[in-house]
Amino acid sequence: MTRKKVKLAFITNDSARKATFKKRKKGLMKKVSELSTLCGIDACAIIYSPYENQPEVWPNTMGAQRVLAEFKRMPEMEQSKKMVNQESFIRQRIAKASEQLKKQSKENREKEMTEVMYKCLAGKGLQNLNLGDLNDLDWIVDQNLKEINKRIVSQAAAPPLVEQNPVVELGLERMQRTQTEWFNDWINNNTSEHQIEFGHGDEIIMPNFSDNHNTSVWPNAFFP
Amino acid sequence: MTRKKVKLAFITNDSARKATFKKRKKGLMKKVSELSTLCGIDACAIIYSPYENQPEVWPNTMGAQRVLAEFKRMPEMEQSKKMVNQESFIRQRIAKASEQLKKQSKENREKEMTEVMYKCLAGKGLQNLNLGDLNDLDWIVDQNLKEINKRIVSQAAAPPLVEQNPVVELGLERMQRTQTEWFNDWINNNTSEHQIEFGHGDEIIMPNFSDNHNTSVWPNAFFP
DNA sequence: AACTCTATTTATAAGGC
DNA sequence: TGCCTTATAAATAGAGT
């Protein structure tokens, strides 16, 4: 019976934490649904936990996708276009600066992940990477492969043309593969041939990020 | 002073609705943040409303992106692998059926949007489409263009080779453009040359979906 | 319309089973 | 462990400013 005023901090007791999680998740979902129906608002909530292998999604997967699709489209800049008073002027400058920050963060992240990629190629495993990292790494690898394929194609275009056609086909076929497919191939090759450890072996999803206060930067462009 | 037990229904009074929205949004965000810190859970919330042109995001854009990236990766099937008792067996069957439904929904949606595309090409405008629709339409158009380019490339590969190189380059270049870029081009061409109406002219984002109880189907594969 | 106030409803922490 | 219960904290509807 709610005797304490709960100090807002990580609950160290495992079972208490789980109990609290269950209760609060339920309450939260209820609140979201109420907000949505009372105010006619498009909203979604996604919560995933170490306790379930599926994320909790409100209103459901498809509904959430719809909201997210719109969210994806929304650039930071789409803000105040009217710009009349001081405040909205400043807002605009902030928006512009945010955009720059985002861009710079993306660049930084790209460099970081390129470094990780080379480390991987040099034999270092993927153990220390969380899912966000893996996702970005995937992207970087994908970009590099695209670049390589592009060069293969232009190389093949100039010399005698005997082999040209198949090479081009390959290039196109590769272009159409999703990054996820590349990623999976890459992971599978690595795991089967070089025995890189990866979670429980058959489970790519890793629950429970340690840093949920997002110290790391994860810019928009990496979420294509 | 909370005198009524609030009937869970859309609040018709505009100002009351807005007030409720503000209060409940605040409460909701607080709940999410509490859940996250108390239980060490990765979570995000996105709410957007007619009252703000930016969506409300918790913990912030980048944090949300991280969570969403993981969400995207999570296939419906990744569920109960242990499968021992009756319940989890049934759960698995449900998961499988859901997957099928998703696939079928995707196919249906594709057909629907293809029809819309042809209607557009025949001169009918985009006025009745919401953002979800436009997003899917974008995807369909993109797929068709890819297919067309692919055929152009194979056509060009067989005959005398004079023009081949540039054609291939074009193909590749197009492959690398994002769907959004295609979409924007397409929209811009249409709006500038044929004067198709589109929102307020310079504003692509449309707030306030009318059907927030997701009657329409919006499957996973359309959120690539 | 945007705030504050407070009577009530609602959520939930800690127990008990 | 998971589900009830219930005392208490927290959220908030409606009114006042």
Side-chain angles (χ1 to χ4, degrees), chain A:
Chain A
M1 316 121 182
T2 314
R3 298 241 155 80
K4 263 193 315 197
K5 205 194 145 189
V6 278
K7 352 143 215 177
L8 210 68
F10 182 76
I11 300 168
T12 44
N13 181 312
D14 281 10
S15 51
R17 188 169 63 257
K18 183 171 183 179
T20 291
F21 174 71
K22 273 198 70 172
K23 285 186 213 166
R24 279 175 174 263
K25 176 166 61 58
K26 185 183 157 199
L28 194 54
M29 291 299 186
K30 189 180 172 198
K31 288 282 182 198
V32 175
S33 93
E34 285 179 355
L35 179 65
S36 184
T37 61
L38 285 171
C39 301
I41 287 300
D42 240 13
C44 78
I46 301 169
I47 304 174
Y48 53 118
S49 68
Y51 313 115
E52 312 269 348
N53 41 20
Q54 292 287 130
E56 300 276 331
V57 183
W58 190 92
N60 56 44
T61 303
M62 297 182 298
Q65 307 279 21
R66 269 239 323 262
V67 177
L68 298 188
E70 186 150 357
F71 174 63
K72 263 206 316 171
R73 291 205 160 277
M74 197 161 299
E76 193 118 12
M77 288 282 293
E78 206 57 44
Q79 235 181 24
S80 47
K81 302 201 173 166
K82 315 110 202 195
M83 209 283 275
V84 267
N85 58 343
Q86 184 67 9
E87 192 198 327
S88 57
F89 175 70
I90 291 174
R91 279 191 190 288
Q92 242 188 10
R93 290 202 51 191
I94 292 172
K96 208 166 279 182
S98 293
E99 212 88 83
Q100 283 188 294
L101 171 63
K102 201 188 262 180
K103 203 173 154 191
Q104 191 58 54
S105 296
K106 187 201 157 188
E107 268 179 46
N108 291 346
R109 184 67 173 169
E110 258 181 67
K111 285 176 181 163
E112 189 188 341
M113 280 300 122
T114 302
E115 204 179 325
V116 170
M117 183 183 72
Y118 283 119
K119 277 190 181 156
C120 283
L121 290 172
K124 292 198 63 165
L126 298 157
Q127 298 93 89
N128 307 323
L129 305 178
N130 62 31
L131 245 182
D133 292 339
L134 290 171
N135 212 37
D136 292 354
L137 180 56
D138 168 24
W139 191 83
I140 283 290
V141 171
D142 196 27
Q143 289 307 108
N144 279 72
L145 285 170
K146 274 181 181 164
E147 183 54 33
I148 290 168
N149 278 310
K150 201 175 166 187
R151 293 198 189 177
I152 289 173
V153 171
S154 1
Q155 278 294 107
L161 316 119
V162 195
E163 290 296 334
Q164 190 173 26
N165 211 349
V167 172
V168 172
E169 291 274 57
L170 180 67
L172 290 174
E173 200 193 325
R174 286 196 176 169
M175 285 302 171
Q176 288 188 298
R177 304 186 65 189
T178 66
Q179 57 185 90
T180 305
E181 288 169 321
W182 276 114
F183 182 73
N184 287 339
D185 283 3
W186 191 59
I187 294 298
N188 288 337
N189 287 337
N190 274 301
T191 44
S192 60
E193 291 173 31
H194 308 297
Q195 291 292 41
I196 290 181
E197 281 283 335
F198 198 85
H200 299 129
D202 62 344
E203 194 158 335
I204 295 196
I205 284 107
M206 303 169 164
N208 200 2
F209 277 102
S210 51
D211 54 354
N212 67 313
H213 300 290
N214 61 291
T215 48
S216 95
V217 177
W218 188 177
N220 208 354
F222 277 92
F223 185 58

Side-chain angles (χ1 to χ4, degrees), chain B residues 4-223:
Chain B
K4 263 194 316 198
K5 205 195 145 189
V6 279
K7 357 148 209 165
L8 212 67
F10 182 76
I11 299 166
T12 44
N13 180 311
D14 281 10
S15 52
R17 187 169 65 256
K18 183 172 182 180
T20 292
F21 174 71
K22 272 198 71 173
K23 285 186 211 168
R24 279 176 174 263
K25 176 166 63 57
K26 185 183 157 198
L28 195 54
M29 291 299 184
K30 189 180 173 196
K31 289 281 182 201
V32 175
S33 93
E34 284 178 356
L35 180 64
S36 183
T37 62
L38 286 171
C39 302
I41 288 299
D42 241 11
C44 77
I46 301 169
I47 304 174
Y48 51 119
S49 68
Y51 313 116
E52 311 271 348
N53 41 18
Q54 292 287 131
E56 299 276 331
V57 183
W58 191 95
N60 56 44
T61 304
M62 296 183 296
Q65 307 279 21
R66 270 240 320 264
V67 177
L68 298 188
E70 185 150 358
F71 174 63
K72 265 204 318 170
R73 291 205 160 279
M74 199 162 298
E76 190 118 14
M77 287 283 293
E78 205 58 46
Q79 230 181 28
S80 48
K81 303 202 172 162
K82 316 107 200 200
M83 210 282 275
V84 267
N85 58 344
Q86 184 67 8
E87 191 198 327
S88 57
F89 174 70
I90 291 174
R91 279 192 189 287
Q92 243 188 10
R93 291 203 50 192
I94 292 172
K96 208 165 278 182
S98 293
E99 210 88 81
Q100 283 187 295
L101 171 62
K102 200 188 265 180
K103 204 173 153 189
Q104 192 58 55
S105 296
K106 186 201 157 187
E107 267 179 47
N108 291 347
R109 184 67 173 167
E110 259 182 68
K111 283 175 182 164
E112 188 187 340
M113 280 300 124
T114 301
E115 204 180 324
V116 170
M117 183 182 71
Y118 282 118
K119 277 191 182 155
C120 283
L121 289 172
K124 292 199 61 166
L126 298 156
Q127 298 92 92
N128 306 324
L129 305 177
N130 63 29
L131 244 181
D133 292 340
L134 289 172
N135 212 36
D136 292 356
L137 181 56
D138 168 23
W139 191 83
I140 282 290
V141 171
D142 195 27
Q143 290 306 109
N144 280 72
L145 284 170
K146 274 183 182 163
E147 183 56 33
I148 290 167
N149 277 311
K150 201 174 163 186
R151 292 198 191 178
I152 289 173
V153 171
S154 0
Q155 279 295 107
L161 316 121
V162 195
E163 289 295 335
Q164 189 173 29
N165 212 348
V167 172
V168 171
E169 292 272 60
L170 180 67
L172 290 174
E173 199 193 328
R174 286 198 176 167
M175 285 301 170
Q176 289 188 297
R177 303 186 68 189
T178 67
Q179 58 186 90
T180 306
E181 286 168 322
W182 276 113
F183 182 73
N184 288 338
D185 283 4
W186 192 58
I187 294 299
N188 288 337
N189 287 338
N190 272 303
T191 43
S192 60
E193 292 172 31
H194 308 298
Q195 290 294 39
I196 290 181
E197 280 283 336
F198 197 85
H200 300 129
D202 62 345
E203 194 159 336
I204 296 196
I205 284 104
M206 304 170 165
N208 200 2
F209 277 102
S210 50
D211 54 354
N212 67 313
H213 300 289
N214 62 292
T215 48
S216 95
V217 178
W218 188 175
N220 208 353
F222 277 91
F223 183 59

